[in-house]
Amino acid sequence: MDVNAAVAAAAAIAGVLTGVIAMLAFRWSERDLKRPTRTSLHTDPVLPPGVDTVLSVLRSSAVVLDEADAVVKASSAAYALGLVRGGKLSVEPMLQMARDTRRDGEIRQVELDLPRRGTGRGEALAVSARVAPLGSRLVLLLVEDLTEARRIEAVRRDFVANVSHELKTPVGALSLLSEAVMDASDDPEAVQRFAGRMQIEATRLTNLVQELIDLSRVQNDDPLEDAEPVRVDELVAEAMDRCRHAAGAKQITMAAGGTADLSIWGNRGQLAAALGNLVENAVNYSPARTRVGIAARRVTAPGGEHIEIAVTDQGIGISDKDKERIFERFYRVDPARSRATGGTGLGLAIVKHVAASHGGEVTVWSSEGQGSTFTLRLPEAGAARDRAQQHPDLDDEAGQPAGSHSRPSPDSPPDTTAYETLSAPEVLP
């Protein structure tokens, strides 16, 4: 009996101890669950209600930092700009701003130039950074990309300055010539000579104003709103008629040919102006008794069939450094020669905008002393119309932006097979 009682007492004591240990373990685990962990220290600063939704729809790059400068929330745009790397804000000036704002609660804003991520060029991103406190522990950083806005503003300033200069030249000449006419009122020959010069300057001023209007129109209008199939043969004939008098005065032979019955989908007026500018330049910059050729052909491109219209001259040619800038507004290879021909420096800029707005491009091949070939590549009528109706913002089914077709190297000579079918040249007296 004593042995059985001892065993029972030992079992009872063991049961009590087991219960006590289990209760202590349960309470210990509860306390561990309530204790903040290393991970929770970074996730506990939850964004205030609604802030996450607001940040997701902002166009600016957004970054939220905690008291340890760790990134709590960052938008995809912030990663794209390279602001956040490895869970940390990688731009030291912005990080210092965040620390200062966390210390005194003041809102700060600064404009910075950041290196462009992933490029070996010296280009920089212009950004505006604004830092503000978000609650008691968080800091909000908003970054706006100003690169494109600054570029547009620089282009606008240059454009205004160039326009002012170009307008001032003929206006000043007209003023001086009018004074000369008044002073030479008793000399009929001088009056006639000065009046002729006034007509030249007035024509130059009229051409400049008209090309400014044309450039503004092609930049602001959507050519595909009034698009229609345009026959290439008609565009070529119109361009040749436009330059008939100037070519005849220099005894320049103009020849047209290539593949017949081709059509382009676009705005007829803009296409005629673009091709007319190319032919006019070819005539103006060609020596007397030379040849200007215009040929069209169909080529295959990733987005479908395209039409290439090439204008070739035997003029003075273009140097390599000038080829990079000839499509800029008011840029002229030889300003003195441009004054003699009445050029304004806007013709090729208009051609470039027309080509881009029609989903195409314009390229140039040239060698000094051997002439130049400007090639206007545009989508063919059927393919361009179907693509514009299905994907108004894209240039092909793969989603490539307009004008993103592969292009031949500008250093290689143009393909001249299209000129083998040139019709008999039109020799102008």
Side-chain angles (χ1 to χ4, degrees):
M1 292 295 292
D2 293 338
V3 174
N4 293 334
V7 172
I13 294 173
V16 171
L17 291 174
T18 301
V20 171
I21 292 172
M23 182 179 64
L24 291 174
F26 177 74
R27 291 186 176 181
W28 186 270
S29 63
E30 281 189 333
R31 188 171 62 178
D32 283 345
L33 289 174
K34 295 179 180 179
R35 180 184 303 165
T37 63
R38 181 181 299 272
T39 304
S40 66
L41 286 175
H42 294 286
T43 58
D44 275 352
V46 180
L47 295 177
V51 173
D52 193 6
T53 303
V54 173
L55 295 181
S56 64
V57 299
L58 284 178
R59 298 182 62 181
S60 305
S61 302
V63 180
V64 179
L65 304 175
D66 62 11
E67 67 275 11
D69 292 334
V71 176
V72 177
K73 174 73 176 180
S75 63
S76 57
Y79 285 99
L81 286 178
L83 304 179
V84 179
R85 298 177 186 174
K88 293 290 185 179
L89 186 62
S90 61
V91 183
E92 185 60 32
M94 296 182 186
L95 187 59
Q96 186 59 46
M97 287 174 57
R99 292 169 179 168
D100 295 339
T101 297
R102 186 185 301 112
R103 184 183 66 252
D104 55 26
E106 292 185 3
I107 298 176
R108 289 175 168 82
Q109 183 170 355
V110 68
E111 292 187 1
L112 301 170
D113 290 333
L114 306 180
R116 191 181 292 271
R117 186 178 182 183
T119 63
R121 301 187 298 269
E123 300 176 353
L125 289 172
V127 300
S128 174
R130 186 178 179 86
V131 180
L134 187 63
S136 59
R137 304 172 60 186
L138 303 179
V139 173
L140 172 63
L141 171 66
L142 295 177
V143 179
E144 187 77 21
D145 188 356
L146 305 178
T147 307
E148 185 65 14
R150 283 192 179 180
R151 187 192 68 82
I152 293 175
E153 181 61 28
V155 170
R156 183 181 294 112
R157 286 197 306 267
D158 292 343
F159 182 73
V160 172
N162 286 327
V163 168
S164 302
H165 174 75
E166 295 296 332
L167 289 174
K168 182 179 179 180
T169 302
V171 170
L174 287 172
S175 177
L176 292 175
L177 288 170
S178 63
E179 293 179 3
V181 169
M182 293 178 64
D183 294 339
S185 58
D186 55 347
D187 187 351
E189 293 183 1
V191 169
Q192 186 175 5
R193 184 172 65 255
F194 293 142
R197 289 295 306 168
M198 291 178 68
Q199 287 183 339
I200 294 175
E201 295 299 334
T203 300
R204 179 178 299 173
L205 183 60
T206 301
N207 293 338
L208 175 58
V209 172
Q210 184 59 50
E211 290 200 347
L212 287 172
I213 295 173
D214 293 341
L215 180 60
S216 176
R217 182 179 295 115
V218 300
Q219 287 180 314
N220 296 329
D221 294 348
D222 182 4
L224 300 183
E225 288 184 358
D226 302 320
E228 59 179 336
V230 182
R231 290 179 56 85
V232 175
D233 296 341
E234 296 177 358
L235 292 177
V236 173
E238 186 174 339
M240 294 176 66
D241 288 340
R242 170 177 170 177
C243 303
R244 186 182 306 275
H245 177 73
K250 300 173 66 174
Q251 297 182 354
I252 291 177
T253 300
M254 291 196 297
T259 307
D261 299 326
L262 299 177
S263 296
I264 299 171
W265 181 258
N267 184 289
R268 180 184 180 85
Q270 292 190 14
L271 293 173
L275 184 58
N277 285 343
L278 292 180
V279 176
E280 186 176 13
N281 277 358
V283 171
N284 288 339
Y285 287 92
S286 293
R289 294 178 294 277
T290 56
R291 178 186 177 100
V292 171
I294 311 166
R297 65 173 182 171
R298 181 185 290 108
V299 296
T300 301
E305 298 297 323
H306 281 62
I307 304 300
E308 283 188 350
I309 308 174
V311 179
T312 299
D313 62 59
Q314 297 174 325
I316 59 177
I318 306 171
S319 66
D320 291 338
K321 66 180 183 66
D322 289 322
K323 279 191 289 188
E324 300 178 357
R325 302 190 58 190
I326 55 174
F327 293 103
E328 296 179 9
R329 303 167 184 170
F330 297 108
Y331 185 80
R332 286 169 289 199
V333 176
D334 186 352
R337 188 179 183 90
S338 296
R339 284 194 296 270
T341 59
T344 63
L346 291 175
L348 291 180
I350 293 174
V351 175
K352 179 181 178 181
H353 281 288
V354 170
S357 63
H358 283 76
E361 62 180 352
V362 58
T363 58
V364 58
W365 175 90
S366 184
S367 179
E368 291 187 84
Q370 299 183 20
S372 306
T373 296
F374 285 84
T375 303
L376 191 61
R377 174 190 281 193
L378 298 166
E380 194 173 10
R385 176 179 54 195
D386 296 341
R387 185 164 59 250
Q389 292 173 351
Q390 296 176 6
H391 306 284
D393 297 328
L394 298 179
D395 196 40
D396 56 41
E397 295 179 357
Q400 296 296 325
S404 62
H405 308 294
S406 60
R407 67 180 68 180
S409 172
D411 297 328
S412 59
D415 186 356
T416 59
T417 56
Y419 295 94
E420 296 176 1
T421 58
L422 283 172
S423 60
E426 177 184 0
V427 181
L428 301 177

